[in-house]
Amino acid sequence: MPQVLSTMSGELDQSLVTAVQVLRAGGLVAFPTETVYGLGADARQEQAVRKIFAAKHRPATHPVIVHLPSAEQLDEWSVDVSDAARRVAAACWPGPVTMVLRAANHVSPIVTGGSNTVGLRVPGHSVALVLLRQFGGAIAAPSANRFTRVSPTTAAHVVEDLGEAVDVVLDAGSTPVGIESTIVDFAQNPPVLLRTGAISAEQLTDVAGVFITMANVGQTASPGQHPVHYSPATKVVACRAERLADCVDYYRRQKERLVVLAWQSELERYSNVVWWQWPSDLEQVGRDLYARLRLIDSQLFDLAIVELPATTGLGAALADRLRRAAGSTEFEG
Ligand code: TXA
Ligand code: MG
Protein backbone atom coordinates (compact mmCIF):
# COMPACT_ATOMS: atom_id res chain seq x y z
CA MET A 1 0.00 0.00 0.00
CA PRO A 2 1.15 3.58 -0.58
CA GLN A 3 1.69 5.89 2.38
CA VAL A 4 -1.50 7.91 2.80
CA LEU A 5 -0.57 11.10 4.64
CA SER A 6 -2.90 13.48 6.42
CA THR A 7 -2.94 17.17 5.54
CA MET A 8 -4.74 18.25 8.74
CA SER A 9 -3.05 21.27 10.29
CA GLY A 10 -0.95 19.44 12.92
CA GLU A 11 0.33 16.90 10.39
CA LEU A 12 0.64 18.88 7.18
CA ASP A 13 4.25 20.00 7.67
CA GLN A 14 5.60 16.48 8.20
CA SER A 15 3.52 15.14 5.28
CA LEU A 16 4.93 17.83 2.99
CA VAL A 17 8.51 17.04 4.01
CA THR A 18 7.94 13.40 3.07
CA ALA A 19 6.16 14.27 -0.19
CA VAL A 20 8.92 16.65 -1.28
CA GLN A 21 11.60 14.03 -0.50
CA VAL A 22 9.75 11.47 -2.61
CA LEU A 23 9.43 13.91 -5.54
CA ARG A 24 13.14 14.84 -5.37
CA ALA A 25 14.07 11.14 -5.31
CA GLY A 26 12.07 10.58 -8.51
CA GLY A 27 9.03 8.96 -6.87
CA LEU A 28 5.31 9.50 -7.38
CA VAL A 29 3.13 11.63 -5.10
CA ALA A 30 -0.65 11.79 -5.56
CA PHE A 31 -1.97 15.14 -4.37
CA PRO A 32 -5.30 16.97 -4.25
CA THR A 33 -6.07 19.82 -6.61
CA GLU A 34 -9.34 21.75 -6.68
CA THR A 35 -10.47 19.62 -9.65
CA VAL A 36 -9.37 15.99 -9.07
CA TYR A 37 -6.34 14.24 -7.51
CA GLY A 38 -3.20 14.36 -9.63
CA LEU A 39 -0.43 11.76 -9.90
CA GLY A 40 2.67 13.89 -9.58
CA ALA A 41 6.33 13.54 -10.51
CA ASP A 42 9.19 16.03 -10.83
CA ALA A 43 8.55 17.50 -14.30
CA ARG A 44 12.32 17.81 -14.88
CA GLN A 45 13.16 14.13 -14.24
CA GLU A 46 12.28 12.00 -17.26
CA GLN A 47 12.60 8.73 -15.36
CA ALA A 48 10.13 9.98 -12.78
CA VAL A 49 7.62 11.11 -15.41
CA ARG A 50 7.91 7.72 -17.15
CA LYS A 51 6.73 6.09 -13.92
CA ILE A 52 3.44 8.02 -14.23
CA PHE A 53 2.70 6.31 -17.54
CA ALA A 54 3.53 2.88 -16.12
CA ALA A 55 1.38 3.45 -13.00
CA LYS A 56 -1.63 4.57 -15.04
CA HIS A 57 -1.14 2.10 -17.93
CA ARG A 58 -1.34 5.18 -20.11
CA PRO A 59 -0.05 5.32 -23.72
CA ALA A 60 3.18 7.32 -24.05
CA THR A 61 1.72 9.66 -26.68
CA HIS A 62 -0.58 11.34 -24.14
CA PRO A 63 0.99 14.53 -22.81
CA VAL A 64 0.79 15.37 -19.10
CA ILE A 65 -0.07 18.74 -17.57
CA VAL A 66 2.76 20.60 -15.82
CA HIS A 67 1.62 22.18 -12.56
CA LEU A 68 3.39 25.41 -11.57
CA PRO A 69 3.63 27.12 -8.18
CA SER A 70 2.63 30.47 -9.75
CA ALA A 71 2.11 32.24 -13.07
CA GLU A 72 5.65 33.62 -12.73
CA GLN A 73 7.01 30.31 -14.08
CA LEU A 74 4.98 30.63 -17.32
CA ASP A 75 7.98 31.84 -19.34
CA GLU A 76 10.25 29.20 -17.86
CA TRP A 77 8.08 26.45 -19.39
CA SER A 78 6.63 28.04 -22.52
CA VAL A 79 7.50 30.43 -25.35
CA ASP A 80 5.49 32.75 -27.63
CA VAL A 81 2.89 33.38 -24.92
CA SER A 82 0.18 35.64 -26.36
CA ASP A 83 -1.35 38.57 -24.48
CA ALA A 84 -4.66 36.67 -24.44
CA ALA A 85 -2.99 33.73 -22.68
CA ARG A 86 -1.37 36.10 -20.18
CA ARG A 87 -4.75 37.63 -19.41
CA VAL A 88 -6.19 34.15 -18.75
CA ALA A 89 -3.26 33.30 -16.46
CA ALA A 90 -3.70 36.57 -14.55
CA ALA A 91 -7.46 36.15 -14.15
CA CYS A 92 -7.89 32.39 -13.69
CA TRP A 93 -4.78 31.12 -11.88
CA PRO A 94 -4.64 29.59 -9.38
CA GLY A 95 -7.70 27.83 -10.76
CA PRO A 96 -9.19 25.09 -12.92
CA VAL A 97 -7.83 26.16 -16.33
CA THR A 98 -5.00 24.51 -18.28
CA MET A 99 -3.37 26.39 -21.14
CA VAL A 100 -1.62 24.58 -23.97
CA LEU A 101 1.31 26.70 -25.15
CA ARG A 102 4.48 26.30 -27.25
CA ALA A 103 6.89 24.38 -25.02
CA ALA A 104 10.24 25.81 -23.96
CA ASN A 105 13.25 23.88 -25.34
CA HIS A 106 14.11 22.05 -22.13
CA VAL A 107 10.64 20.45 -21.76
CA SER A 108 10.97 16.68 -22.09
CA PRO A 109 9.14 14.89 -24.94
CA ILE A 110 7.89 12.47 -22.28
CA VAL A 111 5.94 15.40 -20.79
CA THR A 112 4.72 16.79 -24.13
CA GLY A 113 3.88 13.41 -25.66
CA GLY A 114 6.39 14.26 -28.40
CA SER A 115 4.52 17.40 -29.48
CA ASN A 116 5.95 20.93 -29.43
CA THR A 117 3.38 22.14 -26.90
CA VAL A 118 2.99 21.86 -23.14
CA GLY A 119 -0.12 22.08 -20.94
CA LEU A 120 0.39 24.38 -17.93
CA ARG A 121 -1.69 25.19 -14.91
CA VAL A 122 -1.46 26.66 -11.41
CA PRO A 123 -3.90 24.63 -9.31
CA GLY A 124 -6.26 26.38 -6.90
CA HIS A 125 -5.94 24.09 -3.88
CA SER A 126 -4.01 25.11 -0.78
CA VAL A 127 -2.33 21.70 -0.38
CA ALA A 128 -1.27 21.58 -4.04
CA LEU A 129 0.13 25.10 -3.78
CA VAL A 130 2.17 24.51 -0.61
CA LEU A 131 3.48 21.28 -2.10
CA LEU A 132 4.57 23.11 -5.28
CA ARG A 133 6.16 25.93 -3.29
CA GLN A 134 8.06 23.67 -0.94
CA PHE A 135 9.15 21.46 -3.80
CA GLY A 136 10.25 24.65 -5.53
CA GLY A 137 9.66 23.38 -9.06
CA ALA A 138 7.08 22.10 -11.49
CA ILE A 139 5.11 18.88 -11.00
CA ALA A 140 3.94 16.87 -14.01
CA ALA A 141 0.59 15.29 -13.17
CA PRO A 142 -2.30 13.67 -14.97
CA SER A 143 -5.39 12.63 -13.02
CA ALA A 144 -4.41 9.88 -10.55
CA ASN A 145 -6.59 7.14 -12.02
CA ARG A 146 -5.95 4.07 -14.16
CA PHE A 147 -6.16 4.92 -17.88
CA THR A 148 -9.82 5.25 -19.05
CA ARG A 149 -11.19 5.09 -15.49
CA VAL A 150 -13.10 7.89 -13.81
CA SER A 151 -10.81 10.55 -12.26
CA PRO A 152 -10.29 10.29 -8.48
CA THR A 153 -11.91 12.87 -6.23
CA THR A 154 -10.78 11.27 -2.93
CA ALA A 155 -7.54 9.71 -1.66
CA ALA A 156 -9.38 6.38 -1.37
CA HIS A 157 -10.14 6.46 -5.11
CA VAL A 158 -6.42 6.93 -5.81
CA VAL A 159 -5.46 3.96 -3.65
CA GLU A 160 -8.22 1.84 -5.21
CA ASP A 161 -6.94 2.57 -8.73
CA LEU A 162 -3.17 2.78 -8.34
CA GLY A 163 -2.30 0.91 -5.14
CA GLU A 164 1.42 0.16 -4.87
CA ALA A 165 2.26 2.09 -8.03
CA VAL A 166 2.15 5.40 -6.11
CA ASP A 167 4.56 6.09 -3.24
CA VAL A 168 2.64 8.71 -1.27
CA VAL A 169 -0.93 10.03 -1.33
CA LEU A 170 -1.61 13.40 0.32
CA ASP A 171 -5.14 13.10 1.65
CA ALA A 172 -7.17 16.30 1.81
CA GLY A 173 -10.64 14.77 1.54
CA SER A 174 -12.91 15.36 -1.46
CA THR A 175 -11.80 17.76 -4.15
CA PRO A 176 -14.03 20.86 -4.29
CA VAL A 177 -14.69 21.12 -8.06
CA GLY A 178 -14.78 17.41 -8.84
CA ILE A 179 -14.25 17.50 -12.63
CA GLU A 180 -11.02 18.14 -14.54
CA SER A 181 -9.79 21.59 -15.59
CA THR A 182 -10.93 23.40 -18.71
CA ILE A 183 -8.20 23.10 -21.39
CA VAL A 184 -7.59 25.87 -23.95
CA ASP A 185 -5.04 25.56 -26.71
CA PHE A 186 -3.33 28.94 -27.11
CA ALA A 187 -0.74 27.47 -29.47
CA GLN A 188 -3.45 27.73 -32.14
CA ASN A 189 -4.83 31.01 -33.42
CA PRO A 190 -7.66 31.57 -32.64
CA PRO A 191 -7.38 29.55 -29.42
CA VAL A 192 -9.36 26.32 -29.26
CA LEU A 193 -11.20 24.80 -26.32
CA LEU A 194 -9.93 21.20 -25.99
CA ARG A 195 -11.84 20.20 -22.86
CA THR A 196 -14.80 21.77 -21.06
CA GLY A 197 -14.55 22.33 -17.31
CA ALA A 198 -15.74 24.46 -14.45
CA ILE A 199 -14.67 27.64 -16.24
CA SER A 200 -16.85 27.91 -19.36
CA ALA A 201 -15.76 28.87 -22.88
CA GLU A 202 -17.87 32.02 -22.57
CA GLN A 203 -16.07 33.08 -19.38
CA LEU A 204 -12.69 32.38 -20.99
CA THR A 205 -13.60 34.34 -24.10
CA ASP A 206 -14.47 37.32 -21.88
CA VAL A 207 -11.24 37.10 -19.92
CA ALA A 208 -8.97 36.42 -22.92
CA GLY A 209 -10.53 39.19 -24.97
CA VAL A 210 -10.37 36.93 -28.04
CA PHE A 211 -12.92 34.41 -29.24
CA ILE A 212 -12.20 30.86 -28.13
CA THR A 213 -13.56 28.39 -30.63
CA MET A 214 -15.26 25.22 -29.49
CA ALA A 215 -14.64 23.45 -32.79
CA ASN A 216 -12.72 20.54 -31.37
CA VAL A 217 -14.68 19.72 -28.23
CA GLY A 218 -16.09 16.23 -28.45
CA GLN A 219 -13.63 15.23 -31.13
CA THR A 220 -10.32 13.67 -30.23
CA ALA A 221 -8.51 16.98 -30.38
CA SER A 222 -6.50 16.39 -27.27
CA PRO A 223 -4.84 12.99 -26.92
CA GLY A 224 -6.61 11.20 -24.09
CA GLN A 225 -9.87 12.92 -24.92
CA HIS A 226 -11.27 9.95 -26.79
CA PRO A 227 -14.96 9.21 -26.20
CA VAL A 228 -14.57 6.27 -23.80
CA HIS A 229 -12.64 8.28 -21.25
CA TYR A 230 -14.19 8.57 -17.79
CA SER A 231 -16.16 5.33 -18.05
CA PRO A 232 -17.42 3.10 -15.29
CA ALA A 233 -17.27 -0.62 -16.13
CA THR A 234 -21.08 -0.87 -16.09
CA LYS A 235 -22.81 -0.02 -19.36
CA VAL A 236 -24.05 3.58 -19.31
CA VAL A 237 -26.64 5.12 -21.64
CA ALA A 238 -26.96 8.91 -21.92
CA CYS A 239 -30.39 10.37 -22.51
CA ARG A 240 -31.81 13.83 -23.17
CA ALA A 241 -34.33 15.06 -20.55
CA GLU A 242 -37.34 14.81 -22.84
CA ARG A 243 -36.61 11.16 -23.73
CA LEU A 244 -35.98 9.97 -20.18
CA ALA A 245 -39.40 8.40 -19.56
CA ASP A 246 -39.19 6.37 -22.79
CA CYS A 247 -35.61 5.36 -22.12
CA VAL A 248 -36.36 4.07 -18.61
CA ASP A 249 -39.43 2.21 -19.83
CA TYR A 250 -37.44 0.61 -22.65
CA TYR A 251 -34.56 -0.65 -20.50
CA ARG A 252 -36.51 -1.68 -17.39
CA ARG A 253 -38.05 -4.44 -19.54
CA GLN A 254 -34.64 -5.73 -20.63
CA LYS A 255 -32.44 -5.40 -17.57
CA GLU A 256 -32.59 -6.95 -14.15
CA ARG A 257 -31.46 -4.00 -12.14
CA LEU A 258 -30.82 -0.53 -13.38
CA VAL A 259 -30.01 2.86 -11.92
CA VAL A 260 -31.09 6.25 -13.22
CA LEU A 261 -29.04 9.40 -12.49
CA ALA A 262 -31.32 12.33 -13.24
CA TRP A 263 -32.34 15.85 -12.30
CA GLN A 264 -36.01 14.93 -12.77
CA SER A 265 -37.68 13.22 -9.84
CA GLU A 266 -38.67 9.57 -10.17
CA LEU A 267 -41.20 9.33 -12.99
CA GLU A 268 -42.82 6.03 -12.15
CA ARG A 269 -41.84 3.42 -9.56
CA TYR A 270 -40.51 0.16 -11.04
CA SER A 271 -39.28 -2.67 -8.82
CA ASN A 272 -35.99 -3.06 -10.72
CA VAL A 273 -35.16 0.64 -11.09
CA VAL A 274 -33.15 2.63 -8.53
CA TRP A 275 -33.43 6.41 -8.90
CA TRP A 276 -30.58 8.75 -7.87
CA GLN A 277 -31.76 12.33 -8.17
CA TRP A 278 -29.17 15.10 -8.58
CA PRO A 279 -29.51 18.34 -6.64
CA SER A 280 -30.35 21.35 -8.84
CA ASP A 281 -27.04 23.04 -7.87
CA LEU A 282 -24.66 22.03 -10.67
CA GLU A 283 -21.54 22.76 -8.64
CA GLN A 284 -22.65 20.19 -6.12
CA VAL A 285 -23.28 17.71 -8.95
CA GLY A 286 -19.71 18.33 -10.18
CA ARG A 287 -18.35 17.50 -6.73
CA ASP A 288 -20.36 14.25 -6.51
CA LEU A 289 -20.26 13.09 -10.12
CA TYR A 290 -17.24 10.77 -10.16
CA ALA A 291 -17.94 9.25 -6.74
CA ARG A 292 -21.43 8.41 -8.06
CA LEU A 293 -20.05 6.89 -11.24
CA ARG A 294 -17.78 4.69 -9.11
CA LEU A 295 -20.79 3.66 -7.00
CA ILE A 296 -22.55 2.38 -10.12
CA ASP A 297 -19.81 -0.23 -10.42
CA SER A 298 -19.62 -1.12 -6.75
CA GLN A 299 -23.39 -1.61 -6.50
CA LEU A 300 -23.47 -4.06 -9.41
CA PHE A 301 -26.20 -2.61 -11.61
CA ASP A 302 -26.53 -4.06 -15.14
CA LEU A 303 -27.12 -0.65 -16.64
CA ALA A 304 -27.07 3.04 -15.73
CA ILE A 305 -29.13 5.68 -17.50
CA VAL A 306 -27.84 9.25 -17.17
CA GLU A 307 -29.95 12.30 -17.99
CA LEU A 308 -28.04 15.00 -19.89
CA PRO A 309 -28.29 18.55 -18.51
CA ALA A 310 -28.74 21.75 -20.54
CA THR A 311 -25.32 22.63 -21.94
CA THR A 312 -24.85 26.16 -20.62
CA GLY A 313 -22.07 27.11 -18.18
CA LEU A 314 -21.03 24.19 -15.99
CA GLY A 315 -23.80 22.11 -17.64
CA ALA A 316 -21.60 21.83 -20.76
CA ALA A 317 -18.80 20.17 -18.78
CA LEU A 318 -21.19 17.86 -16.92
CA ALA A 319 -22.91 16.83 -20.16
CA ASP A 320 -19.49 16.13 -21.70
CA ARG A 321 -18.41 13.87 -18.80
CA LEU A 322 -21.77 12.07 -18.75
CA ARG A 323 -21.58 11.48 -22.52
CA ARG A 324 -18.07 10.07 -22.14
CA ALA A 325 -19.20 7.87 -19.26
CA ALA A 326 -21.75 6.54 -21.73
CA GLY A 327 -19.01 5.90 -24.29
CA SER A 328 -20.96 8.33 -26.45
CA THR A 329 -24.04 6.04 -26.67
CA GLU A 330 -27.19 8.10 -26.50
CA PHE A 331 -30.72 6.71 -26.30
CA GLU A 332 -32.42 7.07 -29.65
CA GLY A 333 -35.08 4.37 -29.07
O1 TXA B 1 -7.87 19.14 -13.61
C1 TXA B 1 -6.95 18.62 -14.26
O2 TXA B 1 -6.58 19.05 -15.36
C2 TXA B 1 -6.25 17.41 -13.61
C3 TXA B 1 -5.50 17.88 -12.38
C4 TXA B 1 -4.70 16.78 -11.74
O3 TXA B 1 -4.69 18.96 -12.74
N1 TXA B 1 -5.37 16.79 -14.56
C5 TXA B 1 -5.82 16.08 -15.60
O4 TXA B 1 -4.81 15.50 -16.34
O5 TXA B 1 -7.01 15.93 -15.85
P1 TXA B 1 -5.07 14.38 -17.46
O6 TXA B 1 -3.74 14.02 -17.97
O7 TXA B 1 -5.87 13.30 -16.87
O8 TXA B 1 -5.84 15.12 -18.56
C6 TXA B 1 -5.17 16.17 -19.23
C7 TXA B 1 -5.54 16.20 -20.67
C8 TXA B 1 -5.18 14.93 -21.40
O9 TXA B 1 -6.26 14.59 -22.25
C9 TXA B 1 -3.95 15.35 -22.20
O10 TXA B 1 -3.86 14.64 -23.39
C10 TXA B 1 -4.24 16.82 -22.43
O11 TXA B 1 -4.80 17.26 -21.23
N2 TXA B 1 -3.01 17.57 -22.64
C11 TXA B 1 -1.99 17.76 -21.78
N3 TXA B 1 -0.98 18.42 -22.38
C12 TXA B 1 -1.40 18.67 -23.65
C13 TXA B 1 -0.79 19.29 -24.78
N4 TXA B 1 0.44 19.79 -24.74
N5 TXA B 1 -1.52 19.34 -25.93
C14 TXA B 1 -2.76 18.84 -26.00
N6 TXA B 1 -3.37 18.22 -24.97
C15 TXA B 1 -2.70 18.14 -23.82
MG1 MG C 1 -7.28 11.93 -16.81
Side-chain angles (χ1 to χ4, degrees), residues 35 38 58 63 65 67 117-119 121 142-143 180-181 183 195 222-223:
T35 58
R58 174 175 169 140
I65 296 172
H67 296 70
T117 61
V118 63
R121 113 176 170 92
S143 52
E180 305 81 354
S181 61
I183 305 180
R195 180 170 75 185
S222 182

Side-chain angles (χ1 to χ4, degrees), residues 143-262:
S143 52
N145 52 287
R146 277 281 176 110
F147 182 59
T148 81
R149 289 218 51 188
V150 174
S151 291
T153 55
T154 66
H157 294 163
V158 176
V159 175
E160 189 180 297
D161 272 18
L162 301 177
E164 296 286 308
V166 50
D167 299 302
V168 163
V169 183
L170 289 176
D171 183 357
S174 296
T175 54
V177 173
I179 56 171
E180 305 81 354
S181 61
T182 308
I183 305 180
V184 201
D185 186 352
F186 277 101
Q188 299 189 56
N189 194 8
V192 178
L193 191 75
L194 299 183
R195 180 170 75 185
T196 54
I199 309 261
S200 68
E202 298 80 13
Q203 285 170 303
L204 281 170
T205 293
D206 281 352
V207 168
V210 295
F211 186 69
I212 291 169
T213 98
M214 309 251 310
N216 285 334
V217 171
Q219 300 170 21
T220 52
S222 182
Q225 282 292 84
H226 58 81
V228 294
H229 231 73
Y230 316 116
S231 332
T234 310
K235 181 175 163 61
V236 178
V237 174
C239 180
R240 278 172 294 128
E242 62 276 18
R243 303 303 316 278
L244 190 62
D246 289 343
C247 180
V248 174
D249 189 47
Y250 176 81
Y251 283 108
R252 60 128 184 148
R253 296 164 195 276
Q254 300 188 5
K255 300 287 173 184
E256 271 179 27
R257 194 161 166 269
L258 56 117
V259 61
V260 182
L261 282 72

Side-chain angles (χ1 to χ4, degrees), residues 238-313:
C239 180
R240 278 172 294 128
E242 62 276 18
R243 303 303 316 278
L244 190 62
D246 289 343
C247 180
V248 174
D249 189 47
Y250 176 81
Y251 283 108
R252 60 128 184 148
R253 296 164 195 276
Q254 300 188 5
K255 300 287 173 184
E256 271 179 27
R257 194 161 166 269
L258 56 117
V259 61
V260 182
L261 282 72
W263 278 268
Q264 300 172 49
S265 51
E266 188 163 15
L267 300 162
E268 198 165 330
R269 192 166 289 276
Y270 300 114
S271 59
N272 61 337
V273 178
V274 174
W275 201 275
W276 288 345
Q277 192 179 355
W278 294 121
S280 54
D281 174 3
L282 295 187
E283 289 187 13
Q284 201 178 324
V285 177
R287 283 196 281 278
D288 294 346
L289 182 68
Y290 289 151
R292 279 282 158 185
L293 293 182
R294 280 173 189 260
L295 264 188
I296 293 173
D297 283 345
S298 61
Q299 300 204 356
L300 306 174
F301 294 104
D302 332 293
L303 181 85
I305 296 171
V306 296
E307 179 188 341
L308 295 169
T311 56
T312 46

